[in-house]
Amino acid sequence: MSDKQGFDTLAIHAGAAADPATGARQVPIYQTTAYAFRDADHAARLFNLQEVGYIYSRLTNPTVSALQARIAALEGGAGAVCCSSGHAAQIMALFPLMAPGRNIVASTRLYGGTVTQFSQTIRRFGWSATFVDFDDPDALRAAINEDTRAIFCESISNPGGYVTDIPAVAAIADAAGIPLIVDNTLATPWLCRPIEMGATLVVHSLTKYMTGNGTVTGGVVVDSGKFDWSASDRFPSLSAPEPAYHGLVFHQTFGALAFTFHGIAVGLRDLGMTMNPQGAHYTLMGIETLGLRMERHVANALAVARWLENDPRVEYVTYAGLESSPWNATAKRLYPRGAGALFTFAVKGGYETAVKVVGALKLFSHVANLGDARSLVIHSASTTHRQLTEAQQRAAGAAPEILRLSVGLEDVADLIADLDQALAAATA
Ligand SMILES: *Cc1c(COP(=O)(O)O)cnc(C)c1O
């Protein structure tokens, strides 16, 4: 598969030749746990990583492999490892880099679940995170110390739909000799290709736009293959002998595929955060139409954001695709196809009115998800952020008067009509 082919061609064909055994044109769901070895020597070579092949589906599975190849092609990466969820992908991305006492520097503008994972859960591993505003390069540089092993941000970030200047952040990571990990869930490779902007690793929640219809929980880690793991002694998992494989050195042996092979041979083997073949199948089907869907998501989001911004019942809209957004210039420069389809807006009338709008919406579903074909809404202050004080809610972009929209693929006139009637009902 040539990477000279266009995005929509790769979205349909990458990783998916006709099945060699049957000629099946669509990628079969290989619903199997194990694979027969040709003989004892074949088995030994597979277990020694001397030959690449299928052993056991915790490690590799042909349906999942097809999805990995497709996503690696779309992101312009050397390889990819699928995982059981977006959160699993984040742990899988950090695992080869980290050790007790090491830290990451992460953006303050992140998916709420990621803030919890990084500020609380990873401490159990002896890892820690420092959160800084990634629009402030000096603060970012100052937060990096000799124990920092990665920088982490989202390309387009939740909940406000803000955009990150990835080349600027990548330059800082480069100067410090540490990898930049970008969560590209909200943008997808159709709107943003972080590796081309200098990212080392890309992670996704495949649960969202990549699958696109709210049917799968999945994740992926994509490696650019460009980071020199042997340039310092900071990444021994990749640059030093691995005792569990008779002293094999991943970077020396696998070169640009070192991180990917480590992810499968050590990460999936021992952490077991494996994606199942049925889920991989649904995500492959979703990705076939990714370009078409994202184009419509963005067009609908922009139309809804413009309509809301001009409505007297609305206080403000945070969408980076609007000229009024402080992130609009960055969005135009780095995200020319659009600033995604997730943003927040504030209603006049505070908490009471916001809750009434959610209750009155009919087409928009009130759910804790995003990136679905269906339009979704959530009132964060009464749900995901309800344990926080009002000051904390405001800092998180989840103030009492704020609603978050994930704009779907419906006819945009119907979406606007729904918002119009709900705002009317709430302010009557
Ligand atoms: C949903 C989401 C995650 C977590 O993914 P899961 O598949 O729910 O584990 C991480 N980052 C972002 C930006 C998300 O939207």
Side-chain angles (χ1 to χ4, degrees):
M1 195 58 55
S2 153
D3 61 3
K4 287 188 197 75
Q5 289 178 319
F7 188 93
D8 293 324
T9 306
L10 292 171
I12 293 168
H13 290 281
D19 183 51
T22 62
R25 190 61 196 88
Q26 192 46 279
V27 179
I29 303 171
Y30 284 91
Q31 198 68 45
T32 182
T33 308
Y35 308 83
F37 305 122
R38 288 195 299 274
D39 51 38
D41 184 50
H42 177 221
R45 292 180 60 77
L46 291 175
F47 275 95
N48 273 344
L49 299 183
Q50 290 162 311
E51 184 178 330
V52 176
Y54 297 104
I55 299 175
Y56 186 70
S57 283
R58 172 158 28 83
L59 306 172
T60 47
N61 171 281
T63 313
V64 178
S65 295
L67 177 60
Q68 289 169 167
R70 183 165 302 175
I71 296 171
L74 293 177
E75 287 286 5
V81 179
C82 285
C83 319
S84 50
S85 71
H87 269 8
Q90 292 169 189
I91 295 297
M92 284 280 291
L94 292 177
F95 178 64
L97 313 176
M98 300 295 278
R102 307 295 184 232
N103 68 71
I104 60 170
V105 175
S107 169
T108 45
R109 285 183 283 274
L110 294 177
Y111 176 74
T114 304
V115 174
T116 307
Q117 188 186 57
F118 288 175
S119 61
Q120 312 289 332
T121 305
I122 64 171
R123 292 184 165 275
R124 303 287 193 96
F125 308 145
W127 311 347
S128 63
T130 309
F131 295 91
V132 293
D133 180 350
F134 273 38
D135 284 340
D136 182 348
D138 293 332
L140 175 51
R141 260 183 234 106
I144 298 169
N145 63 32
E146 62 188 24
D147 289 322
T148 304
R149 290 295 176 273
I151 291 180
F152 188 101
C153 65
E154 294 174 3
S155 45
I156 299 179
S157 72
N158 181 67
Y162 313 115
V163 294
T164 303
D165 187 340
I166 297 174
V169 173
I172 294 171
D174 252 9
I178 50 179
L180 168 63
I181 307 174
V182 175
D183 181 338
N184 204 28
T185 300
L186 264 54
T188 83
W190 197 79
L191 294 177
C192 174
R193 307 220 315 161
I195 289 171
E196 286 172 0
M197 299 186 199
T200 305
L201 302 168
V202 174
V203 294
H204 278 277
S205 168
L206 299 176
T207 314
K208 315 291 170 52
Y209 294 101
M210 294 288 267
T211 305
N213 47 31
T215 50
V216 168
T217 304
V220 69
V221 183
V222 186
D223 177 30
S224 62
K226 291 177 181 160
F227 195 87
D228 184 358
W229 304 111
S230 308
S232 73
D233 58 5
R234 283 186 269 183
F235 304 102
S237 296
L238 298 156
S239 67
E242 168 64 45
Y245 282 107
H246 310 300
L248 173 135
V249 178
F250 275 87
H251 193 207
Q252 208 173 66
T253 308
F254 299 111
L257 283 169
F259 197 92
T260 301
F261 270 85
H262 190 278
I264 294 168
V266 179
L268 289 183
R269 183 196 63 186
D270 296 343
L271 301 177
M273 301 167 163
T274 307
M275 186 175 209
N276 67 81
Q278 185 93 31
H281 167 76
Y282 289 131
T283 304
L284 280 164
M285 297 305 94
I287 289 177
E288 289 188 349
T289 56
L290 182 63
L292 287 170
R293 288 187 290 105
M294 291 312 290
E295 202 172 340
R296 172 70 80 89
H297 273 299
V298 166
N300 279 0
L302 188 58
V304 169
R306 285 221 167 101
W307 182 84
L308 284 169
E309 189 177 40
N310 289 319
D311 193 281
R313 296 162 293 189
V314 171
E315 193 83 52
Y316 60 86
V317 182
T318 62
Y319 190 48
L322 293 173
E323 278 72 20
S324 57
S325 165
W327 283 273
N328 190 244
T330 307
K332 280 192 173 131
R333 181 164 53 89
L334 297 174
Y335 304 79
R337 285 175 150 175
L342 186 93
F343 59 85
T344 59
F345 71 100
V347 292
K348 290 178 185 161
Y351 185 96
E352 294 303 319
T353 310
V355 169
K356 280 188 196 154
V357 171
V358 170
L361 282 164
K362 297 189 171 93
L363 262 183
F364 283 81
S365 307
H366 187 202
V367 302
N369 192 20
L370 59 95
D372 195 314
R374 275 149 286 277
S375 288
L376 312 174
V377 62
I378 193 154
H379 180 240
S380 305
S382 62
T383 56
T384 51
H385 292 65
R386 79 171 294 132
Q387 313 305 338
L388 306 187
T389 64
E390 188 176 325
Q392 288 174 318
Q393 289 173 348
R394 289 196 180 279
E401 65 278 13
I402 285 182
L403 295 169
R404 188 189 77 182
L405 296 184
S406 170
V407 179
L409 302 177
E410 300 94 337
D411 288 285
V412 72
D414 294 331
L415 297 178
I416 289 171
D418 193 32
L419 287 161
D420 192 25
Q421 67 78 23
L423 282 163
T427 53

